[in-house]
Amino acid sequence: MRFADIPGHEDIKDRLRRMADSGHIPHALLLEGNPGAGKFSLARAFAQYIHCENRTADGDSCGTCPACRQHETFNHIDTFFSFPVVKKGGKPTISDDYLPTFREFLADYPFMDFDHWVEALDNINAQPQIYVEEGNELLRRLNYMARQSAYKIVLLWLPERLKEETANKLLKLVEEPHSDTIFIMVSNNSRGILPTIYSRTQRIRVLRYSDAETAAILRSKGIDADSAENISRIAQGNINEALSLAGMSKDRLKYLDSFATLMRMAFQRKVAELRKWSNDMAAAGREPSMQFLDYSARLLRENLMLHTGVEELITLNQAERNFCSRFHPYVNERNVLGLFSLFNDARRDISVNGNAKIIFFDLAVRTIMLLRK
C-alpha cells in the first residue's frame, strides 16, 4: 500500500515520511485513534515506504520495486503481521496460523472492520487475543538479522488485545530493541495497552475523518451525493460504519429488529416470548451479543435526543428513524439512566463469560419495569 492509496491524513503522512527520510524512525511507534480512521493502512504504507528501494520525488513508495511488489502481496520477508486470533482446537496458536485469512481480510477491509475479522475467524463465541505463543514466535524471529532490508518491521494490530503474559514477553523487545527492528502498533483503544509498553512508544494520534472526507470516500465508491452526505453525518468519521450503512448492512438491520422486538414484547409484558427472544440472542455468540448491546445503548441515546428535541445531535438512518419516531416517547428522564445501566451491565457480564441466556432474560424482564416509568 502506498500513501497515495489512503484518503486524507496528509499531516501524518508527512510526519512519517520525515521519519523515514531522516533515518530517525522510533523503534516502537503507536498509531492510536477511533476505529475506521485508516490507521492500519497508514502503518502498511509506512512499512512499504521504509522498505522501498526507489522512493519517488513526491514522497511515496514507488510501487514497482521488488520490495513494493512483495508488500502489495503481503509477502515481504522482513515484515511480520501480528494480530488477535482465536485458538484452534485448544492448541497453541499464532498469527501465522491465520495468515491466509488475514491477507484476504486486509484486501477486503482495508479500514480494518473488527466485526468482520471476528466473522472471518469463524468462532463467534471467542474473544480474539494475541496469545503468549505469539510472543515466543516474535522473539524467535526477531533474533535473526533482517534478510533483504535495513529493518525488520512488525505490524501489530490491536496491542490492547495482547494477553498480559504476551505483553510482558514483548516488553523486553520494546525496552531493549534490536537496532534493525521496528514495531508499528495500531490501536483502537490505547487505554487497554499495558502501561509499560504504552509509555515506551512514540505515539501519533490519528483523528477521525471529517464528514466531508467521509462523504468523498463514499462518492468514490459510487454512492450518490445525497446518500453520502447523510451517511457521513451518521458514521461520525468511522469509514467501516459508513460503508456498512451504505450497504444497509444485514447486521445493523438485524440489531434494529432485535431491539424493536425486545421493546415491543417488554411493553406488552409477553414474558414467554421474551424468554424465547433471550435464548435466540444468546445463541448468536459472545461478540455479536456485545455488538448488539453496544448498538442498543446508542439507539437509546438517539431516542433520548428525539424526546428532548435535540435534532442536530441525531445520527439515525431512515429505518432507525422510522422506528424511533414512534418509540422515543417511552425513553425519558425517569427511565433513561436505568435503561443505560441495564444494557451496559449486560454487556459487561457477557464480556466476562456470564451465562448469556440468564443475562438477556434478566435484561428483558427489567426492561418491562423501566418502560412503564
Side-chain angles (χ1 to χ4, degrees):
M1 176 165 286
R2 304 173 70 237
F3 286 129
D5 298 327
I6 305 168
H9 298 313
E10 298 304 326
D11 55 335
I12 296 175
K13 294 175 187 176
D14 287 341
R15 185 172 174 183
L16 295 174
R17 288 188 193 101
R18 290 195 300 270
M19 286 180 182
D21 292 343
S22 67
H24 296 146
I25 306 172
H27 66 271
L29 179 68
L30 175 66
L31 302 177
E32 56 182 332
N34 292 334
K39 301 183 298 295
F40 200 76
S41 292
L42 287 166
R44 288 176 54 198
F46 186 39
Q48 182 168 324
Y49 188 71
I50 291 170
H51 284 153
C52 179
E53 300 164 16
N54 187 27
R55 296 172 189 168
T56 65
D58 60 350
D60 212 339
S61 51
C62 68
T64 57
C65 71
C68 284
R69 291 199 300 270
Q70 290 164 13
H71 269 280
E72 290 296 330
T73 57
F74 315 110
N75 284 310
H76 192 277
I77 196 168
D78 290 325
T79 303
F80 310 112
F81 292 98
S82 185
F83 46 86
V85 298
V86 297
K87 291 204 171 186
K88 290 188 171 183
K91 299 177 181 179
T93 306
I94 61 175
S95 297
D96 274 11
D97 294 330
Y98 285 95
L99 196 53
T101 303
F102 191 68
R103 287 170 177 159
E104 292 179 8
F105 170 71
L106 286 174
D108 292 339
Y109 301 100
F111 290 93
M112 308 302 285
D113 189 330
F114 182 74
D115 293 347
H116 282 97
W117 176 237
V118 173
E119 291 178 6
L121 292 173
D122 198 26
N123 188 337
I124 60 175
N125 288 311
Q127 295 192 65
Q129 303 282 344
I130 302 176
Y131 295 100
V132 67
E133 296 85 8
E134 179 77 2
N136 293 333
E137 181 65 11
L138 283 175
L139 285 170
R140 184 187 69 80
R141 288 186 172 190
L142 295 176
N143 278 327
Y144 293 104
M145 295 290 291
R147 298 188 183 182
Q148 69 180 42
S149 309
Y151 295 103
K152 304 185 296 284
I153 298 177
V154 179
L155 293 171
L156 200 163
W157 184 45
L158 304 184
E160 59 267 31
R161 287 186 172 261
L162 286 163
K163 298 283 284 185
E164 186 173 352
E165 58 267 36
T166 317
N168 287 327
K169 279 188 173 292
L170 294 182
L171 181 58
K172 185 175 178 60
L173 282 173
V174 176
E175 285 181 321
E176 303 173 11
H178 300 302
S179 60
D180 65 345
T181 299
I182 299 169
F183 280 87
I184 306 176
M185 307 181 195
V186 174
S187 173
N188 291 340
N189 176 25
S190 56
R191 292 182 179 180
I193 301 173
L194 188 73
T196 47
I197 287 183
Y198 184 75
S199 65
R200 287 163 174 80
T201 61
Q202 182 168 325
R203 299 177 287 279
I204 296 179
R205 184 76 183 173
V206 180
L207 300 179
R208 52 156 282 187
Y209 282 107
S210 69
D211 289 356
E213 288 173 322
T214 303
I217 293 170
L218 291 175
R219 290 196 301 272
S220 73
K221 296 183 179 298
I223 308 301
D224 68 88
D226 289 342
S227 296
E229 183 177 349
N230 181 53
I231 290 169
S232 65
R233 184 174 59 86
I234 297 171
Q236 298 183 315
N238 185 333
I239 303 302
N240 291 322
E241 179 74 359
L243 293 172
S244 177
L245 286 168
M248 288 303 292
S249 100
K250 292 182 180 178
D251 283 345
R252 191 181 180 92
L253 292 175
K254 179 178 68 179
Y255 293 154
L256 173 61
D257 182 65
S258 296
F259 181 86
T261 300
L262 166 64
M263 295 302 164
R264 184 177 64 254
M265 291 190 301
F267 185 79
Q268 296 171 355
R269 300 185 179 184
K270 293 185 176 181
V271 176
E273 286 87 345
L274 286 171
R275 183 178 294 280
K276 181 180 183 306
W277 176 90
S278 304
N279 292 340
D280 291 342
M281 293 302 300
R286 186 183 300 112
E287 288 287 344
S289 293
M290 292 165 60
Q291 292 159 20
F292 165 74
L293 293 166
D294 286 338
Y295 173 84
S296 298
R298 185 188 74 81
L299 210 56
L300 287 170
R301 171 193 172 278
E302 300 291 345
N303 277 279
L304 182 63
M305 294 300 102
L306 279 172
H307 183 79
T308 54
V310 190
E311 283 284 336
E312 65 272 17
L313 298 180
I314 294 171
T315 59
L316 297 168
N317 65 28
Q318 192 57 53
E320 292 166 337
R321 186 175 283 273
N322 291 342
F323 166 74
C324 294
S325 65
R326 301 185 301 274
F327 176 69
H328 76 267
Y330 301 99
V331 179
N332 53 61
E333 62 279 0
R334 296 184 301 278
N335 64 12
V336 67
L337 291 180
L339 286 167
F340 274 129
S341 295
L342 188 59
F343 280 86
N344 288 335
D345 289 349
R347 189 195 190 285
R348 178 201 62 208
D349 293 342
I350 285 179
S351 72
V352 295
N353 298 324
N355 186 308
K357 290 183 180 179
I358 294 174
I359 293 167
F360 273 118
F361 188 59
D362 180 70
L363 179 147
V365 171
R366 291 174 184 270
T367 299
I368 292 175
M369 295 180 284
L370 287 167
L371 284 183
R372 294 287 178 172
K373 286 190 175 182

